[in-house]
Amino acid sequence: MERLHLSRYVLNFWFIFMLLVSLLPFLLFNISALSDLSSSLLSLHTIFLSILIEALPFVLIGIIIAGFIQIFITEEHIQRWIPQNAVMAVVMSCLVGALFPACECGIVPIVRRLIAKGVPIHAAIGFMLTGPLINPIVILSTYMAFGNDLKIASLRMLLGFVIAIVVALLISLFFKGSQFKSSLQPHSLATANQPTSFVTKLFNMFKHAIDEFFDMGKYLIIGAFLAAFVQTYVSTKILVEIGDGVSSSILVMMGLAFILSLCSEADAFIGASFSATFSTPSILAFLVFGPMIDLKNTIMLMSVFRFKFVFWLAALVAIIVYISIWILSPYL
């Protein structure tokens, strides 16, 4: 037990150290304007910090909700709320996700706690895919980004909802159990339901939220750094030149959505900036695929779930998004 606590302290120290190290070059540049920092390194740190600062508020909200679920929601509550039928469970979870304002980063710890409490993997995935994609804040921002035009916002909401249901149903067919890594089996995340006062429960909720932050935060940093690195050193000009046809442009915009790892509440404004270069189907692919799967949330997912599950989840999302939009492209 002492060794377990020691390892947790080491991980927490490492997380804080990495955060400070990542901030140091940026701060030094602002203070002394060091001339020996290359422009690419400065760009790397700027993009990294922008991704991190953009994601952190939503991660904090997510871990607080995860702490609430851990302490106040029991397995009996879950059993009463989730339908036994897989189709009904998926539809209900997608509807709840559609009303739940969450970023693709902040929703990962929530999904982990829900599954640990007994939510079926397919229902949790349905919730995870719709939450960042079609919640009211995202739809409003999409409506405003495209000049108060309902077309793109409506297509994003309807198509995203259908794709999320299809993916979640396929997950129910091919994957059973929690799909957690061996070190994160549900029993290792569960909390015994003991009669305690509300104040004690509230204290335990924030305690679990802090633990969740240190568990997930380091993977957020790794994912944000990788996304910043790719954005800095991979030329988007090459990708734009590749996407000259309908099929290739859809793939290019899906690739950009994955690489850029934008927050779903703001990605519509970036997508709208590509309107002069790419067609409506490819813009829609960018808006639908990015909130479901991107680079930084893939890293966070791999910290929780088995690699095989994350791989097939990302593959299913990519294939279904591509096929759906390619089929609909003549009508968009």
Side-chain angles (χ1 to χ4, degrees):
M1 184 64 68
E2 292 179 358
R3 184 175 298 178
L4 180 63
H5 284 298
L6 180 61
S7 63
R8 180 177 291 276
Y9 289 135
V10 170
L11 285 174
N12 292 349
F13 174 79
W14 178 86
F15 169 64
I16 296 172
F17 175 76
M18 286 293 295
L19 183 61
L20 292 175
V21 168
S22 65
L23 290 170
L24 188 59
F26 185 79
L27 295 175
L28 286 175
F29 180 83
N30 284 335
I31 293 171
S32 59
L34 297 177
S35 58
D36 58 339
L37 282 177
S38 68
S39 59
S40 63
L41 185 60
L42 176 62
S43 176
L44 173 66
H45 278 86
T46 302
I47 295 172
F48 168 70
L49 286 176
S50 66
I51 294 174
L52 202 60
I53 292 170
E54 185 181 51
L56 272 176
F58 297 100
V59 173
L60 291 173
I61 294 171
I63 62 168
I64 291 173
I65 295 173
F68 176 85
I69 293 170
Q70 180 72 2
I71 300 303
F72 290 96
I73 304 298
T74 66
E75 288 79 357
E76 289 75 18
H77 292 142
I78 299 293
Q79 290 171 3
R80 287 201 301 267
W81 297 337
I82 301 293
Q84 296 296 318
N85 181 272
V87 176
M88 292 302 298
V90 166
V91 172
M92 192 191 84
S93 66
C94 289
L95 286 172
V96 173
L99 300 174
F100 192 86
C103 181
E104 62 271 17
C105 303
I107 207 163
V108 175
I110 299 174
V111 167
R112 180 168 82 157
R113 291 297 166 182
L114 285 173
I115 295 175
K117 286 289 184 178
V119 173
I121 185 71
H122 48 272
I125 292 302
F127 173 78
M128 187 188 79
L129 295 178
T130 53
L133 176 61
I134 55 176
N135 69 69
I137 297 175
V138 172
I139 298 305
L140 179 61
S141 68
T142 306
Y143 171 75
M144 295 174 62
F146 287 88
N148 297 339
D149 187 0
L150 275 174
K151 179 182 176 182
I152 298 296
S154 301
L155 286 171
R156 184 183 199 182
M157 180 174 62
L158 295 173
L159 190 58
F161 187 77
V162 172
I163 290 173
I165 289 177
V166 172
V167 172
L169 288 175
L170 289 174
I171 292 294
S172 71
L173 294 176
F174 297 111
F175 293 96
K176 305 299 179 183
S178 69
Q179 295 300 313
F180 283 145
K181 287 185 171 181
S182 57
S183 59
L184 288 173
Q185 291 304 316
H187 60 76
S188 69
L189 296 173
T191 299
N193 296 322
Q194 298 176 349
T196 53
S197 67
F198 177 79
V199 175
T200 302
K201 286 185 176 181
L202 198 62
F203 174 80
N204 289 334
M205 183 189 82
F206 285 106
K207 180 181 176 182
H208 278 282
I210 292 170
D211 290 339
E212 197 82 41
F213 177 73
F214 284 114
D215 282 343
M216 302 301 301
K218 53 183 174 288
Y219 298 104
L220 171 65
I221 287 181
I222 295 170
F225 181 80
L226 288 175
F229 183 87
V230 173
Q231 286 187 50
T232 303
Y233 295 106
V234 175
S235 174
T236 56
K237 182 180 178 181
I238 298 175
L239 296 176
V240 171
E241 291 174 352
I242 295 172
D244 56 353
V246 174
S247 299
S248 58
S249 64
I250 293 173
L251 287 174
V252 166
M253 289 302 284
M254 288 173 63
L256 279 176
F258 185 83
I259 290 171
L260 293 177
S261 298
L262 299 169
C263 179
S264 58
E265 277 77 8
D267 63 351
F269 296 95
I270 305 300
S273 68
F274 288 106
S275 297
T277 308
F278 288 96
S279 61
T280 298
S282 57
I283 298 295
L284 192 59
F286 177 88
L287 296 175
V288 172
F289 183 68
M292 288 184 170
I293 295 290
D294 63 24
L295 184 55
K296 69 178 186 300
N297 102 311
T298 299
I299 299 294
M300 297 178 73
L301 286 171
M302 286 194 295
S303 72
V304 177
F305 299 104
R306 299 168 186 164
F307 175 81
K308 179 181 177 182
F309 174 76
V310 177
F311 173 82
W312 282 110
L313 173 63
L316 283 172
V317 172
I319 291 169
I320 294 171
V321 169
Y322 176 80
I323 292 175
S324 301
I325 294 179
W326 182 80
I327 291 173
L328 292 174
S329 59
Y331 310 101
L332 298 177

